[in-house]
Amino acid sequence: MRYRVVAACVLMMSGWGGCATLANRKTVNVTVVGSLHRFHLDPIYGFSLNDLQSTVKALQPQLLCLEVDPQDEDTNRVGLYPPETVVLKHLARELFISSAAVDWRADFKTYKELSPLVKASVDQQQKELMDRATKSVAGKYDFFISTPAKQLIQKIHDTILKKDGEAADGFWITRNSRIAERCMTEARKIQASNVVFVFGVDHQYILEDTLSKFPDVKVNESSIRHGDPTWVVAQEIVDEWKNRLSALKELQNSSADPMLQKRVEQSGRIKELELFIRSAAFAL
């Protein structure tokens, strides 16, 4: 028994404060909400920006952890992150909720391209995922957060990790581990007992699994709010999207950092921001 206690203490000290503080900790309820990026604007998916905000409101978090790397948050690179993070940060201010940028990205220079065989396999698996989402009677978003979809998404990442290594998958394991650690560190700082992560829906399976290994964390299923295909955002949100778009275009046109140019191009955020801005104008 003594050896088991020592082993547990060693485990807890990696990212969760160790045995010295465990007795004083209360359970932290954590919910991971999968976001859809540009597909929030597509009614077929059934999870609009209004639905996303309603879901977060209903969960009543004390801390909202967002898909932005803190080292990029106050720079011209912040546009590389999902447009819905602007909406969520604005929502957190409105509701007096703490929010934190907790994403983690490795140096882009260390990334690897997929090998041709792995890319072909991944393309086929992604097609299967999308085909099943289209055929789902529950709706596309409900399918993406279902257990079968999570298993398919995990299979895609496992294929890349096994064949081409983590550098070909954006350092997927490391990234999600760091995301969980960063958010829970912030939760400890403010003594939050109810925490919500909002990350791309493909993160949901791995964040839930990673967080379930934290000793004082209870991972809950999110209660998704549906049924509001319309959406309107404040002008300051649209202005922030425009600022991000302008900054990304400058980065894309600059020859100072070719690797950053490539990152901007591969992210697809310029087209995505343009879509959000056009859609907002129509909504207004």
Side-chain angles (χ1 to χ4, degrees):
M1 177 65 73
R2 180 182 177 185
Y3 293 112
R4 291 179 183 173
V5 172
V6 171
C9 288
V10 171
L11 174 63
M12 291 167 192
M13 288 178 67
S14 62
W16 195 236
C19 291
T21 56
L22 182 59
N24 299 323
R25 293 201 187 284
K26 294 181 179 179
T27 299
V28 180
N29 288 287
V30 172
T31 307
V32 182
V33 177
S35 64
L36 291 173
H37 309 331
R38 70 182 183 278
F39 295 118
H40 283 298
L41 308 181
D42 188 341
I44 292 176
Y45 282 79
F47 195 51
S48 70
L49 285 174
N50 278 5
D51 289 329
L52 175 62
Q53 292 179 86
S54 296
T55 296
V56 171
K57 286 179 184 178
L59 291 168
Q60 299 182 325
Q62 295 162 324
L63 175 63
L64 184 59
C65 290
L66 302 177
E67 191 174 348
V68 179
D69 191 323
Q71 71 177 358
D72 292 330
E73 186 176 24
D74 296 318
T75 74
N76 57 0
R77 299 185 300 275
V78 71
L80 290 165
Y81 298 89
E84 66 267 23
T85 59
V86 180
V87 177
L88 293 166
K89 195 169 181 180
H90 183 270
L91 177 67
R93 287 196 299 267
E94 273 190 345
L95 301 178
F96 302 100
I97 298 169
S98 295
S99 66
V102 300
D103 201 356
W104 178 88
R105 301 292 180 95
D107 187 334
F108 194 69
K109 297 184 182 71
T110 62
Y111 286 26
K112 282 174 49 181
E113 299 286 340
L114 291 177
S115 61
L117 285 177
V118 171
K119 185 178 185 309
S121 176
V122 167
D123 287 348
Q124 181 59 40
Q125 290 176 58
Q126 288 177 334
K127 182 179 182 301
E128 178 187 353
L129 179 68
M130 295 305 294
D131 286 347
R132 289 185 62 176
T134 301
K135 295 174 183 176
S136 172
V137 294
K140 280 192 174 184
Y141 182 76
D142 285 331
F143 172 73
F144 278 122
I145 62 174
S146 70
T147 297
K150 290 178 184 178
Q151 291 170 344
L152 285 172
I153 292 167
Q154 180 174 359
K155 183 181 175 182
I156 291 169
H157 287 287
D158 287 348
T159 297
I160 299 171
L161 293 166
K162 182 177 179 181
K163 301 291 186 180
D164 281 353
E166 205 183 11
D169 198 23
F171 295 90
W172 185 246
I173 303 296
T174 303
R175 180 184 173 194
N176 285 280
S177 176
R178 296 284 183 88
I179 289 167
E181 289 170 4
R182 281 180 166 177
C183 184
M184 299 318 297
T185 296
E186 187 64 25
R188 291 201 300 274
K189 283 181 184 177
I190 67 170
Q191 298 183 329
S193 60
N194 188 17
V195 177
V196 170
F197 289 71
V198 181
F199 272 72
V201 72
D202 57 324
H203 289 266
Q204 194 162 0
Y205 84 88
I206 190 168
L207 282 176
E208 288 176 342
D209 182 64
T210 301
L211 289 160
S212 70
K213 295 179 173 63
F214 282 71
D216 287 354
V217 168
K218 178 185 177 185
V219 179
N220 300 305
E221 287 191 12
S222 57
S223 179
I224 301 301
R225 298 299 178 101
H226 284 291
D228 189 356
T230 62
W231 60 278
V232 177
V233 295
Q235 185 59 47
E236 64 184 276
I237 292 174
V238 179
D239 291 342
E240 176 59 22
W241 285 339
K242 289 179 178 179
N243 290 338
R244 290 188 178 197
L245 176 61
S246 177
L248 286 187
K249 286 183 174 180
E250 286 184 14
L251 291 175
Q252 187 182 49
N253 295 328
S254 171
S255 58
D257 189 339
M259 290 302 294
L260 186 54
Q261 279 183 309
K262 185 176 181 181
R263 183 179 172 190
V264 171
E265 180 183 342
Q266 291 185 352
S267 73
R269 295 297 185 205
I270 286 179
K271 289 184 178 180
E272 191 169 62
L273 282 164
E274 289 173 339
L275 178 60
F276 271 75
I277 292 165
R278 287 198 306 271
S279 298
F282 179 76
L284 290 171

